[in-house]
Amino acid sequence: MKALVTGAAGFIGSHVVEALGAAGHEVTGLDLRVPAHDATSEAAHLPGRARPALGEVRLVTGDVRHPAVLDRALDGVDLVVHQAAKVGLGVDVADLPDYASVNVYGTAVLLAAMARSGVGRLVLASSMVVYGEGAYDCGEHGRVRPGPRTREDLAGGVFEPRCPRCGAELTSATIAEDAPPDPRNAYASTKLAQEHLAANWARETGGTAVALRYHNVYGPRMPRDTPYSGVAAIFRSALEAGRAPCVFEDGRQRRDFVHVRDVAEANVAAARARTVPGELAAYNVASGRPHTIGEMAGALAAERNGPEPVVTGEYRLGDVRHIVATPDRAARDLGFRARTGFTEGMREFATAPLG
């Protein structure tokens, strides 16, 4: 198959390009920038996986929001793997226009261009953030959906959500793809909007669409510490500078950390999957083996012989407490299961090159 990967020079996109190429697909990469990292120097940090030479990938430099760029990039393409996005939680409401422009408008322009070009297959990079809080059970009321945590509770060190009906403590459970969406920040809202647009495109064109809801992705080429970086990169950057990682809340937030090479393989599996025309199929991309934020910070500190993490009690209103997924649907329908274990992955990531 001939595949177009948007966001091809980015953290996840560059790994997707590699994985598709290794699987025998002919790849075109679209990005605002030409990849800056050198293929040969980085290969030493990827055991058993050398990056393909850039000459093996057709590169198109341009903005996914520009129809003329897309028409050129889509020429002869059978499949689009849409990774381009503005990522991260965001800083404040001033970020809303950029998130909506890149993630929502950019996806709409892409889907319109795919319809013009007759491209009928889409793999969309979605996110666990569409769920909001994860799944919770109350001893009296069963499965419940807690509301957003209040500033007053968080400031007072009350981090665990309570039952919205009786106020009792809840037990965190795994969340499946049929859970109702509940986006709680700008990024989450735009990722859900991308899914809705993709579903609309599939219905109207008869195309096939797969949304991969990535959980906490980490690994080589992860962007360095910025307000929009993932927590793993923030901790790695602190340790690299000789500082202790600062862990928000009490460090007991549970997440599913999934290695970027596993995420890339999930995209390959989705590219070849038999899905129902005219529908969007959503899948969790997760390891199925959750860990706390504190455990992740501790593992990185130990691997780098750095300072012990410091639990600060700070918080961000847009954050959720626990989000743990079941990966069973992806295993059943796509034949995908993450292979990189937490210990192995953190050992590599502790010294891997960042973007």
Side-chain angles (χ1 to χ4, degrees):
M1 245 186 315
K2 295 182 179 180
L4 170 67
V5 179
T6 70
F11 165 45
I12 297 175
S14 64
H15 287 274
V16 172
V17 167
E18 289 177 4
L20 287 169
H25 299 288
E26 185 178 328
V27 181
T28 295
L30 172 64
D31 205 289
L32 283 169
R33 59 197 173 98
V34 174
H37 42 262
D38 176 75
T40 55
S41 65
E42 197 164 51
H45 299 279
L46 303 172
R49 301 288 291 278
R51 296 195 68 236
L54 294 181
E56 297 177 20
V57 178
R58 175 182 169 231
L59 295 173
V60 177
T61 303
D63 195 317
V64 74
R65 293 169 291 186
H66 293 167
V69 170
L70 289 170
D71 288 342
R72 178 160 50 96
L74 286 165
D75 185 35
V77 164
D78 307 302
L79 159 76
V80 171
V81 182
H82 185 32
Q83 304 290 321
K86 182 178 176 67
V87 300
L89 183 64
V91 176
D92 54 37
V93 293
D95 282 327
L96 284 170
D98 275 348
Y99 276 108
S101 177
V102 176
N103 296 357
V104 181
Y105 178 69
T107 299
V109 175
L110 171 65
L111 293 170
M114 290 173 62
R116 281 196 307 276
S117 300
V119 181
R121 197 168 184 87
L122 172 71
V123 177
L124 170 69
S126 187
S127 172
M128 66 174 189
V129 295
V130 301
Y131 297 123
E133 282 285 353
Y136 293 87
D137 293 323
C138 172
E140 181 176 352
H141 298 106
R143 183 61 50 89
V144 295
R145 174 59 63 93
R149 298 179 296 169
T150 67
R151 187 186 300 273
E152 292 73 23
D153 279 348
L154 292 168
V158 179
F159 302 123
E160 294 290 343
R162 299 280 181 167
C163 176
R165 298 178 63 183
C166 67
E169 293 185 5
L170 300 173
T171 302
S172 174
T174 57
I175 198 161
E177 290 86 351
D178 55 1
D182 186 17
R184 298 189 177 186
N185 56 60
Y187 175 62
S189 296
T190 61
K191 295 311 284 185
L192 183 59
Q194 285 184 319
E195 289 195 15
H196 287 320
L197 288 169
N200 180 242
W201 166 84
R203 282 193 301 271
E204 294 200 19
T205 66
T208 63
V210 176
L212 299 179
R213 292 174 177 168
Y214 301 159
H215 285 251
N216 284 68
V217 187
Y218 72 97
R221 302 175 219 151
M222 197 172 189
R224 292 183 180 274
D225 183 5
T226 78
Y228 306 94
S229 295
V231 67
I234 292 171
F235 291 164
R236 223 322 277 284
S237 296
L239 288 163
E240 203 166 35
R243 303 190 309 269
C246 292
V247 181
F248 280 15
E249 301 185 19
D250 59 3
R252 296 176 184 171
Q253 310 94 303
R254 296 171 73 229
R255 298 288 188 272
D256 192 308
F257 298 101
V258 58
H259 196 281
V260 67
R261 288 197 297 273
D262 286 323
V263 171
E265 292 300 332
N267 278 270
V268 174
R272 64 171 178 254
R274 293 188 177 183
T275 51
V276 179
E279 296 181 7
L280 177 127
Y283 297 96
N284 287 323
V285 177
S287 72
R289 299 178 293 276
H291 292 269
T292 68
I293 298 289
E295 286 173 337
M296 190 261 287
L300 290 176
E303 290 294 340
R304 290 190 66 94
N305 295 314
E308 288 289 319
V310 175
V311 177
T312 68
E314 294 178 80
Y315 61 89
R316 297 189 301 179
L317 276 179
D319 279 339
V320 297
R321 180 61 175 173
H322 305 296
I323 177 74
V324 177
T326 170
D328 293 345
R329 182 182 290 181
R332 183 192 69 216
D333 292 358
L334 305 182
F336 166 76
R337 281 202 181 275
R339 295 182 294 179
T340 305
F342 180 79
T343 301
E344 170 195 353
M346 290 298 161
R347 182 179 301 121
E348 178 199 19
F349 181 59
T351 57
L354 298 181

